[in-house]
């Protein structure tokens, strides 16, 4: 197993025993698979933009998934609540609240080694067993003055659809879901989409 830490030692990136980088989406699912088979009980927190595979992966595990708005502040706030044993987002950031309710790469590495110790299987095998998320993400330039207009127009056009308005607009349909989310710091709008297949994801993203 190899690891890379970012400069702030907050985010952890993994390399398997064959020298191949593990995609951050699957690194998150690896933590979940290990926690789900470890016998622990509690809540796990994820931003609303994280793949729906987390819900499927934890079915029947006795662990409860809670969703938060997309910001790091909201995720760490949720991680500090009673009963939360793990929080994570795509991008190499993991939170183990029993140590500290914030990203910490060294703590995450220690917990990963602890979870791997009884498994006795190569990391590459564990990752090969994981589902491959089809989530796509795109950023579109959007002037600050038009962000509100974009959201109001979309809310009006999608009012008869199944929506989640926790953060931005997330719309659900048979092919999957798509989310339009204004960036809090830059003149951008984020579009996330996850379909049953990669083609569905790209089609949903293109539509929105």
């Amino acid at each position: 197993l190899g690891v890379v830490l970012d400069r702030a030692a907050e985010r952890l990136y993994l390399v398997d025993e064959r020298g191949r980088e593990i995609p951050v989406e699957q690194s998150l699912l690896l933590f979940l698979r290990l926690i789900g088979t470890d016998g622990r009980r509690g809540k796990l927190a994820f931003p609303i933009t994280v793949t729906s595979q987390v819900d499927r992966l934890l079915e029947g595990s006795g662990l409860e998934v809670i969703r938060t708005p997309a910001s790091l502040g909201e995720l760490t706030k949720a991680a500090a609540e009673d009963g939360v044993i793990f929080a994570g987002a795509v991008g190499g950031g993991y939170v183990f609240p029993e140590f500290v309710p914030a990203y910490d790469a060294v703590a995450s590495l220690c917990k990963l080694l602890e979870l791997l110790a009884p498994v006795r299987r190569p990391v590459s095998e564990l990752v090969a067993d994981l589902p491959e998320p089809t989530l796509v993400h795109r950023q579109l330039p959007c002037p600050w003055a038009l962000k509100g207009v974009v959201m109001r127009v979309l809310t009006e056009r999608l009012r008869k659809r199944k929506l989640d308005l926790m953060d931005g607009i997330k719309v659900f349909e048979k092919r999957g879901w798509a989310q339009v989310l204004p960036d809090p710091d830059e003149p951008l709008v984020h579009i996330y989409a996850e379909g049953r297949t990669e083609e569905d994801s790209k089609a949903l993203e293109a539509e929105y």
Side-chain angles (χ1 to χ4, degrees), residues 20-154:
R20 296 180 301 192
E21 182 180 355
I22 300 172
V24 287
E25 296 89 349
Q26 289 196 305
S27 294
L28 177 62
L29 296 181
L30 175 62
F31 270 103
L32 299 195
R33 172 63 59 81
L34 293 169
I35 292 170
T37 57
D38 190 45
R40 299 190 64 186
R41 295 293 177 266
K43 301 175 184 176
L44 289 81
F46 307 98
I48 195 170
T49 52
V50 163
T51 173
S52 299
Q53 294 286 0
V54 300
D55 303 274
R56 301 187 191 105
L57 202 62
L58 295 171
E59 283 179 0
S61 67
L63 295 163
E64 178 185 350
V65 173
I66 58 175
R67 295 283 186 166
T68 75
S71 73
L72 175 57
E74 291 289 345
L75 182 66
T76 53
K77 179 181 175 183
E81 295 178 0
D82 288 344
V84 177
I85 61 171
F86 175 80
V90 170
Y94 313 108
V95 182
F96 288 90
E98 63 184 353
F99 176 69
V100 62
Y103 287 170
D104 189 294
V106 177
S108 299
L109 174 58
C110 291
K111 292 300 294 186
L112 178 62
L113 295 174
E114 178 185 310
L115 291 164
L116 284 170
V119 177
R120 300 187 181 279
R121 289 179 66 198
V123 171
S124 62
E125 284 187 15
L126 296 173
V127 173
D129 288 343
L130 296 171
E132 293 189 19
T134 59
L135 182 68
V136 295
H137 173 214
R138 182 179 182 183
Q139 297 181 155
L140 292 177
C142 180
W144 283 99
L146 291 180
K147 287 185 179 181
V149 175
V150 169
M151 302 312 286
R152 283 196 299 274
V153 169
L154 275 175

Side-chain angles (χ1 to χ4, degrees), residues 133-204:
T134 59
L135 182 68
V136 295
H137 173 214
R138 182 179 182 183
Q139 297 181 155
L140 292 177
C142 180
W144 283 99
L146 291 180
K147 287 185 179 181
V149 175
V150 169
M151 302 312 286
R152 283 196 299 274
V153 169
L154 275 175
T155 301
E156 178 63 23
R157 289 185 179 179
L158 300 171
R159 66 185 185 279
K160 295 183 180 179
R161 307 281 287 277
K162 182 182 178 183
L163 303 177
D164 185 334
L165 303 178
M166 175 188 289
D167 198 3
I169 299 173
K170 189 172 186 178
V171 57
F172 299 89
E173 58 168 82
K174 290 182 179 179
R175 289 177 295 170
W177 58 266
Q179 182 166 10
V180 181
L181 187 65
D183 191 284
D185 302 313
E186 302 289 339
L188 300 169
V189 168
H190 298 269
I191 300 177
Y192 296 87
E194 185 177 38
R196 294 180 178 178
T197 65
E198 192 171 347
E199 290 73 23
D200 284 342
S201 300
K202 290 178 178 177
L204 284 165

